[in-house]
Structure formats: C-alpha cells, structure tokens
Amino acid sequence: MANPGRVGKADTPGVTIAERANLGLATLAARKGQDKALTAAVREAYGVDLPAKSVTARGKSVNFIGYGPGQWLVVSETLAHEALAEDLATRLKGLASVSDQSGGRAVLRVSGPRARDVLAKGLAVDLDPRAFPAGGAVTSTISHMGVQLWQEGEADSYDIAIFRSVSASFWRWLTASAAEYGYEVVTTS
C-alpha cells in the first residue's frame, strides 16, 4: 500500500482510500439442512438476522454480508484476525462451515464524492443509490480481479475485499483510476 498523503488535485480530493487493517474476516456457509438453526444461532449470538440476499446485516461486533445462497462474508472490527473465525466456529458448531480469511484478503474503503466514478471504470455494477441501496453488496470483478464490495454506512463509501495475492495490482488500478479526481490515502486505527 501507499503512504498516507494526497495525490492529484490541489483542492479537496474526490476520493479517499483507506486500508481497513486489523479486521477479522471469515466466510460462513450453512451446512445442509441447518439453515433455520443457523439463523436462530446467529440471532442469539450476534443479535442480527442473516441476510437472505446480497446485503449487509450489522450485528453485535460483526457484520454479515450475503454473497450467495447460504453463504456470507463475516467482518469484525472487534474480533480481529483469526479470533473472528474461532468465535464463529465455537458459537455455530455443527451448523456452518467457517473459514478464516483474515490473512488472505485485504479490505480497502473507497469513499468520497467521486468514489462511484472511480469504481465504474472497472466494475460492471451500477452503484447509483437507486440501483445499489445503502447496505448493498455484490461479488464481482473490478479490472478482472475478484472482489466483494459492500456499501458501508454513508452514501459514496464502499468497502472492497480483495485477495492479498492481487492487492498490488488492484492498488495500481485503483490509484490510476482515481488520479483524475485527486485522491487521499489515509490510515485507519
């Protein structure tokens, strides 16, 4: 990743890019015949209903992002690294398969008034709020690299999970695409 700082336009940058470090990331897949029991266990453990489609559901200390039938990407700021997968495996034992993704993926937050314009250069998904509402999520490709993207909080703020093996290539694409609008790289805690 790049060092913090501003590139491009001298005035306010159109895009802000931040690596979301120290997250817990895990994939969760319902075991055959356990859908209802898994939904109840997640509600009890994390205070959220599992999304049945490609959206984000925010729970106690974790977010569940639907990306396929019976499959979710789980993200946590408080259960960092492998602690998230361990917590899920303990609480959901026998109901779901859990795989730690913390070391294998990087998550970038792309935000700002020109974030959609930058992402449109490589993503074949309409991010207009009428087509991609708050909390929306998608599994797709950006510039031929597999990604999971979800809208985080405010409009024009997107989190993108990418495989670490392609993160340098993704970074080059992202910064080249954002250059015309100016961008700022910030650090997160």
Side-chain angles (χ1 to χ4, degrees):
M1 298 295 278
N3 294 322
R6 190 175 288 179
V7 175
K9 292 182 167 187
D11 56 344
T12 305
V15 179
T16 301
I17 304 168
E19 181 178 15
R20 304 223 31 232
N22 300 315
L23 291 176
L25 295 170
T27 53
L28 180 71
R31 291 204 177 147
K32 187 175 182 178
Q34 298 298 324
D35 296 343
K36 289 182 182 176
L38 176 60
T39 298
V42 167
R43 187 179 305 120
E44 167 107 7
Y46 301 104
V48 66
D49 288 325
L50 285 172
K53 57 185 182 175
S54 294
V55 295
T56 301
R58 291 169 186 16
K60 298 179 218 166
S61 74
V62 296
N63 295 337
F64 291 85
I65 302 156
Y67 70 90
Q71 299 178 27
W72 302 268
L73 176 65
V74 187
V75 181
S76 179
E77 293 179 8
T78 58
L79 296 167
H81 308 294
E82 64 277 350
L84 173 61
E86 291 169 2
D87 190 68
L88 289 164
T90 299
R91 292 175 183 241
L92 307 175
K93 187 173 185 167
L95 303 174
S97 297
V98 176
S99 179
D100 179 36
Q101 299 295 314
S102 302
R105 297 189 195 194
V107 177
L108 297 175
R109 177 163 292 162
V110 179
S111 59
R114 302 310 294 259
R116 280 188 289 151
D117 297 320
V118 169
L119 295 173
K121 292 180 180 187
L123 178 68
V125 173
D126 185 358
L127 296 178
D128 185 279
R130 293 170 293 188
F132 196 85
V138 66
T139 299
S140 189
T141 60
I142 294 180
S143 188
H144 307 291
M145 292 171 267
V147 299
Q148 287 177 285
L149 178 143
W150 60 98
Q151 186 175 14
E152 188 58 43
E154 72 234 30
D156 299 326
S157 181
Y158 306 92
D159 280 3
I160 305 167
I162 56 172
F163 290 108
R164 286 194 190 277
S165 61
V166 298
S167 62
S169 295
F170 186 84
W171 183 257
R172 283 190 297 275
W173 172 84
L174 180 60
T175 55
S177 296
E180 77 172 285
Y181 307 114
Y183 65 89
E184 184 172 12
V185 177
V186 298
T187 57
T188 60
S189 54

